[in-house]
Amino acid sequence: MRKIIAFGALILLINACNFNSKSEEERLAQSYCGGCHEMPSPSLLDKKTWEKGVLPQMALRLGVEPAPTMSVYGELSTDEIIAFTQANIYPETPILSKEEWEKIVKYYLTNAPDKLPDSSKNYPISSDLTLFAPKTDVPDVEKLPMVSMLKFDDKTQKLYVGTRTGKIHILDAQFKRTDSITVGSAPSDVHFNTDGSLNALAMGIMDPNDKMTGTMVQYKKAADGKKWDSKTLISNLRRPVSQYVTDVDGDGLKDMMVCEFGFHLGQFSWYKQLPNHTYQAFQLDALAGARVVHPYDFNRDGKLDYFVLLAQGDEQMAVYYNRGGGRFEKQILHRFPPVYGSSYAELADFNGDGNIDILYANGDNADYSMILKPYHGIRIFLNDGHLHFKEAYFFGLNGAAKALAEDFDKDGDVDIAAISYFPAKPQEGFVFLENQGNLTFKAKTFAQPRQDKWMLMEKADYDHDGDTDLLLGYLERPPYHNAVNQSFRGLWVLENKKQ
């Protein structure tokens, strides 16, 4: 017993020494900058970006500087303003003293590098990709490349292409437009129902905002076979981007899991379908940035759990365990600093051990630190069988926007297709990571890439030949008064040539 007590005292002493060894500036940064998200290390950004980009935003969030009231509240409704102020995004009174804030600023500016290292040479990309062949005869759905959604319906073999203009264009197997639906704002996701109808998420306003203008609307072909009848299922959503339809509580009615990305505000919720076919919301997480939801029975208890990537502010990968009856319990698998730019994640078993792993992409570079970052890229987190996920692979890819896992070359292991929206060079726009075994991958792209940036990617065997093809989409970013590169396409089809 004495040995146990002595050992415990030693641990406490070591921890105390570690705490005391930190400077006062670092302790303040840890306390205030690591309180609501993973603390960002000064090494993650250069001095100029900290000083001019991120630290001024941190000052607003800590109440050290007054918030720009009109730009924040100017276009919000009364209910939206109330929700915003209740969330205390910009405190009216400072959370810390001016002197403490100045010490935090000193800590970051003293310890940040003058320039971030360029690690791209450590991640070479060869230009000999032959597995995929770009189709050259696919017309764009609209004049300007403003694709906001790609979704392939395996049942009807049709591609649904959403655009920022508030349209969903329906393309056949030859990528000819056969129909279109006007949804009012940029669509982000579609669920295909068994009766031929579809549930479409529309963002309301696509650019960063906290307005509750997003919707979930069901569209069904009218009896005349020409127009689409619509029924609003859910309204007042904050920039919804992902959905999954299932019977959550086992009452025989289809419910919905919905990710509302928002901006400062957002949430991940499930919507219970009531007997009168209206929906009641149950919030599972109040964090902004809910990017994508994937169903999977993580604890193998026979009930679907839900993996969610949260990609704004408090960036994290989390599982919401289904405890039955509409009850859930959250476990955070990993947290990332808010400058990481989490952009997408999906589930796949990379090492064939029967445990689901995580493929993660981070490269969102559109906020307050628009510089090339050596930690942007593609990561694999392996599951040890006890739901502990450890990073086992990293490929640096500037501005990584999405990564998809699939045995594209049909050799028995899982490959990766990745795209970038903020590349440093054209070769980074689309990259195929061919699995060489033992979590080693060879990065390839085309000798002459079609264009250097993409925002969307969908996988599907569109030509029914037994392998998986890729569909890429591009959205031109504002401001739109600048000339759009006339060579850029909104839709690119990569045909898998594996025989």
Side-chain angles (χ1 to χ4, degrees), residues 245-472:
V245 177
T246 185
D247 182 2
V248 173
D249 53 0
D251 64 356
L253 297 174
K254 292 294 186 181
D255 311 304
M256 303 177 192
M257 317 297 293
V258 179
C259 292
E260 295 176 62
F261 195 99
F263 183 36
H264 299 98
L265 304 175
Q267 63 182 3
F268 172 57
S269 306
W270 78 277
Y271 285 81
K272 175 180 174 60
Q273 185 176 175
L274 303 176
N276 64 357
H277 304 300
T278 60
Y279 291 84
Q280 180 180 1
F282 292 89
Q283 185 185 79
L284 299 180
D285 211 317
L287 290 175
R291 171 64 183 89
V292 66
V293 54
H294 295 300
Y296 188 79
D297 184 6
F298 281 87
N299 54 7
R300 301 179 182 179
D301 64 353
K303 297 187 291 291
L304 277 182
D305 309 306
Y306 297 93
F307 170 91
V308 174
L309 175 67
L310 296 158
Q312 184 87 337
D314 189 3
E315 300 186 23
Q316 55 184 257
M317 299 186 297
V319 171
Y320 300 80
Y321 292 104
N322 190 341
R323 300 309 186 196
R327 296 176 296 109
F328 292 86
E329 181 180 342
K330 179 183 178 181
Q331 177 190 357
I332 298 176
L333 304 179
H334 268 281
R335 294 179 84 190
F336 306 98
V339 297
Y340 249 53
S342 299
S343 53
Y344 197 76
E346 74 166 17
L347 308 176
D349 182 2
F350 276 93
N351 55 2
D353 65 353
N355 298 309
I356 203 71
D357 307 310
I358 300 172
L359 176 63
Y360 166 84
N362 69 305
D364 184 2
N365 221 4
D367 290 325
Y368 309 112
S369 58
M370 296 179 66
I371 59 172
L372 297 177
K373 302 179 174 76
Y375 44 87
H376 274 178
I378 310 300
R379 289 172 169 82
I380 295 173
F381 292 86
L382 289 184
N383 183 350
D384 67 356
H386 302 284
L387 300 177
H388 302 129
F389 293 82
K390 183 178 180 181
E391 183 178 325
Y393 173 79
F394 172 71
F395 181 83
L397 182 65
N398 289 300
K402 191 170 185 177
L404 297 176
E406 184 76 23
D407 183 7
F408 289 101
D409 55 10
K410 301 184 74 67
D411 64 352
D413 51 31
V414 181
D415 310 300
I416 300 171
I419 55 172
S420 169
Y421 193 61
F422 298 94
K425 54 187 178 183
Q427 290 74 19
E428 292 180 330
F430 169 76
V431 178
F432 176 63
L433 296 169
E434 181 182 349
N435 196 331
Q436 307 287 294
N438 297 318
L439 289 180
T440 60
F441 295 80
K442 183 177 181 181
K444 301 179 180 181
T445 192
F446 301 107
Q448 294 181 320
R450 177 69 182 81
Q451 63 196 53
D452 66 351
K453 62 180 76 172
W454 300 95
M455 176 174 278
L456 303 165
M457 181 167 55
E458 173 88 336
K459 57 185 178 182
D461 182 11
Y462 83 89
D463 52 5
H464 319 289
D465 64 353
D467 52 32
T468 304
D469 311 298
L470 289 168
L471 311 160
L472 276 61

Side-chain angles (χ1 to χ4, degrees), residues 60-197:
L60 296 176
R61 295 299 187 97
L62 294 172
V64 178
E65 296 292 341
T69 305
M70 285 307 298
S71 63
V72 173
Y73 302 128
E75 297 184 355
L76 298 182
S77 69
T78 301
D79 289 343
E80 290 165 341
I81 292 174
I82 291 173
F84 199 89
T85 53
Q86 286 178 342
N88 204 30
I89 303 298
Y90 297 126
E92 293 184 1
T93 57
I95 294 176
L96 71 171
S97 69
K98 194 76 171 179
E99 293 74 19
E100 289 174 319
W101 169 244
E102 289 173 353
K103 289 178 180 179
I104 291 175
V105 171
K106 178 183 177 183
Y107 168 70
Y108 277 98
L109 297 185
T110 300
N111 292 283
D114 293 324
K115 183 179 180 181
L116 294 187
D118 178 8
S119 61
S120 59
K121 61 181 179 297
N122 299 327
Y123 306 100
I125 304 171
S126 69
S127 299
D128 57 352
L129 178 59
T130 58
L131 179 63
F132 295 96
K135 286 184 67 65
T136 59
D137 58 347
V138 178
D140 260 337
V141 294
E142 293 182 3
K143 183 177 180 180
L144 293 179
M146 293 188 179
V147 176
S148 64
M149 181 198 77
L150 291 174
K151 198 80 170 186
F152 189 79
D153 184 359
D154 292 318
K155 183 179 179 180
T156 63
Q157 295 294 300
K158 291 184 178 180
L159 176 63
Y160 288 67
V161 182
T163 64
R164 187 185 175 99
T165 59
K167 297 278 191 178
I168 296 178
H169 301 286
I170 304 172
L171 311 185
D172 63 16
Q174 287 72 46
F175 301 101
K176 300 296 190 295
R177 182 167 52 193
T178 62
D179 205 346
S180 63
I181 307 172
T182 299
V183 297
S185 66
S188 56
D189 197 9
V190 164
H191 170 79
F192 303 107
N193 298 310
T194 56
D195 64 355
S197 65

Side-chain angles (χ1 to χ4, degrees), residues 470-497:
L470 289 168
L471 311 160
L472 276 61
Y474 175 67
L475 174 81
E476 181 68 21
R477 293 183 63 222
Y480 297 111
H481 58 263
N482 292 343
V484 177
N485 189 323
Q486 295 301 308
S487 67
F488 274 22
R489 303 295 301 275
L491 177 63
W492 199 32
V493 179
L494 302 182
E495 183 179 347
N496 192 326
K497 304 302 289 186

